[in-house]
Amino acid sequence: MQSSMFTRLIAAAALAAATLFAPASQAQGSDQHIVINPPHPSDTPGKVEVLEFFAYTCPHCATMEPMVEAWAKTAPPDVVLKQVPIAFNASMKPMQQLYYTLLTLNRPDLHAKFFTALHGERKRLFDKKSMGDWAAEQGVDRAKFDSVFDSFSVQTQVQRADQLAQAYNVDGTPAFAVGGKFMTSPAMAGNSYEGALREVDRLIPLARQK
């Protein structure tokens, strides 16, 4: 049963990840991106906010994770990367909670390791118990994990992630929003992971413009 659940989740995420999206509320900007009209406000005033919409079950997100991490280290000082976990169905909600739990516990290093656990090691980590067991194996205090996982703070951050996904009409992952003004993705950028990040770099100066 667990194996079947894993297969269904990965298959659903792969389908979502492969989806090209051009919502009616957004105007086509070029073959490489779409324009957000009207622009969305930033949660980080004074910065060019780059949002990466991702899902742990998405194989493309897993592949891009080290690329995104490397990109973030070289981003301009006025650019801030915010990763936004997406839940395309109720079964993916715990993974949103996991992401914000890891951040709250100051263990962002486990973000990439969780991708590896799912996609490389094929571990079935889909609920609070299995995720908590895994986190404990990585040195996380289990009692703290359980407390934070169900905390009001984490629930609030999950709600905000859902709001952002809805505001940007995110139908597939990975996808990138730049400065609240543009959206791009590997699918838009010639089915290229590197191309998507190059497009993000190209859009940042445009996002700075008033």
Side-chain angles (χ1 to χ4, degrees):
M1 183 175 179
Q2 284 185 329
S3 178
S4 177
M5 179 185 294
F6 182 90
T7 301
R8 289 198 304 272
L9 277 171
I10 296 298
L15 178 61
T19 302
L20 272 172
F21 54 96
S25 62
Q26 298 172 350
Q28 192 69 30
S30 75
D31 291 339
Q32 303 290 313
H33 70 271
I34 53 179
V35 177
I36 309 297
N37 188 23
H40 295 313
S42 171
D43 287 343
T44 314
K47 298 285 187 179
V48 177
E49 199 173 65
V50 174
L51 305 179
E52 182 206 5
F53 295 98
F54 78 93
Y56 278 123
T57 49
C58 165
H60 301 295
C61 299
T63 300
M64 277 207 79
E65 172 52 31
M67 301 178 191
V68 172
E69 183 178 355
W71 173 87
K73 292 177 180 178
T74 63
D78 68 332
V79 173
V80 59
L81 171 69
K82 292 183 64 176
Q83 293 173 300
V84 184
I86 297 299
F88 291 110
N89 54 60
S91 65
M92 296 172 71
K93 285 287 184 182
M95 295 189 180
Q96 291 178 295
Q97 291 174 259
L98 173 70
Y99 176 73
Y100 291 117
T101 296
L102 296 179
L103 292 189
T104 302
L105 294 174
N106 197 30
R107 290 301 306 270
D109 58 297
L110 296 184
H111 172 61
K113 290 184 178 180
F114 192 73
F115 273 119
T116 299
L118 277 182
H119 297 276
E121 301 167 5
R122 304 287 289 182
K123 292 186 176 180
R124 283 113 173 123
L125 306 173
F126 302 122
D127 55 24
K128 176 182 176 181
K129 182 182 183 305
S130 60
M131 292 174 183
D133 290 344
W134 175 82
E137 293 173 358
Q138 315 306 314
V140 174
D141 182 276
R142 182 57 188 271
K144 289 183 178 178
F145 179 92
D146 290 343
S147 175
V148 171
F149 193 89
D150 293 317
S151 68
F152 177 76
S153 174
V154 164
Q155 296 296 339
T156 299
Q157 291 177 87
V158 168
Q159 290 175 5
R160 180 56 179 157
D162 291 340
Q163 290 170 357
L164 288 169
Q166 183 176 11
Y168 284 94
N169 290 343
V170 177
D171 292 333
T173 54
F176 300 88
V178 183
K181 298 179 178 180
F182 308 101
M183 287 282 289
T184 189
S185 70
M188 294 180 196
N191 291 317
S192 167
Y193 302 130
E194 296 85 355
L197 293 175
R198 285 195 298 269
E199 185 66 5
V200 169
D201 284 333
R202 195 181 73 81
L203 291 171
I204 287 172
L206 301 179
R208 291 191 183 106
Q209 298 175 9
K210 301 296 184 181

